[in-house]
Amino acid sequence: MIEISDEIITEIRSHAEETYPEECCGVLIGKFDVFQKVVFEILRIENSKETERNRRYLIKPQDYLKAEKYAKEKGYDIIGFYHSHPNHPAKPSEYDREHAFPFLSYIIVSVENGRSKEVNSWVLREDRSEFDPEEIEIKNKI
């Protein structure tokens, strides 16, 4: 389960709508333990993919390192990533599976005609065979 505030979900939805019809992406910052993940904030990241930005995103290694450093300085962890799927369901693609890490959370927002719709979270299995849905607990404030 991943715990996140409604304010942060709204931020992710806004980012997805602002970048439509291209995919947005960002990092989920918070605390991660065996039983629970709690998102305290997000970091918007520029989609660095040079082509097919309407169906792919890329986070440059230097952007990832900056996010990791930022989280560490605050005493937090990177607990996952978010991105949008313009005009597609909030389900991971094969491309997503090929580029994901087990145990981290992957929040996906579907965006149809510029408006965010469904928000789902996924976790890649340890054997990397497929994603499993992850329950999202939305709190008023964290």
Side-chain angles (χ1 to χ4, degrees):
M1 179 179 63
I2 186 167
E3 192 174 303
I4 192 168
S5 72
D6 57 354
E7 182 178 73
I8 292 174
I9 289 289
T10 299
E11 284 181 56
I12 292 171
R13 287 180 180 277
S14 294
H15 191 196
E17 291 175 0
E18 289 167 23
T19 61
Y20 181 88
E22 297 180 348
E23 289 196 8
C24 74
C25 57
V27 179
L28 306 170
I29 305 289
K31 280 299 195 184
F32 185 175
D33 69 31
V34 175
F35 303 105
Q36 188 176 25
K37 299 172 193 165
V38 181
V39 179
F40 296 135
E41 59 185 286
I42 60 169
L43 288 179
R44 289 181 177 210
I45 303 289
E46 174 80 26
N47 181 354
S48 298
K49 188 81 176 152
E50 293 183 6
T51 61
E52 300 182 294
R53 292 168 55 104
N54 63 323
R55 52 190 297 256
R56 301 280 185 260
Y57 76 95
L58 175 67
I59 296 176
K60 288 188 216 172
Q62 51 269 49
D63 289 334
Y64 178 84
L65 290 173
K66 283 181 193 172
E68 192 173 65
K69 181 179 178 196
Y70 175 82
K72 191 173 187 174
E73 286 172 356
K74 296 194 103 180
Y76 298 153
D77 306 304
I78 289 178
I79 61 173
F81 303 90
Y82 71 89
H83 71 281
S84 60
H85 277 180
N87 299 320
H88 286 281
K91 295 180 179 177
S93 66
E94 180 62 16
Y95 180 87
D96 294 334
R97 187 193 64 75
E98 291 170 355
H99 295 86
F101 300 103
F103 309 112
L104 296 179
S105 295
Y106 289 85
I107 291 179
I108 301 174
V109 181
S110 66
V111 184
E112 294 176 20
N113 299 317
R115 306 291 286 172
S116 67
K117 301 288 181 182
E118 193 176 20
V119 177
N120 292 319
S121 186
W122 304 88
V123 176
L124 184 64
R125 291 184 181 173
E126 187 174 358
D127 67 4
R128 304 181 51 84
S129 62
E130 64 183 298
F131 280 94
D132 290 314
E134 179 179 50
E135 180 184 350
I136 299 175
E137 185 174 348
I138 299 176
K139 301 268 187 170
N140 286 336
K141 192 161 186 110
I142 294 178

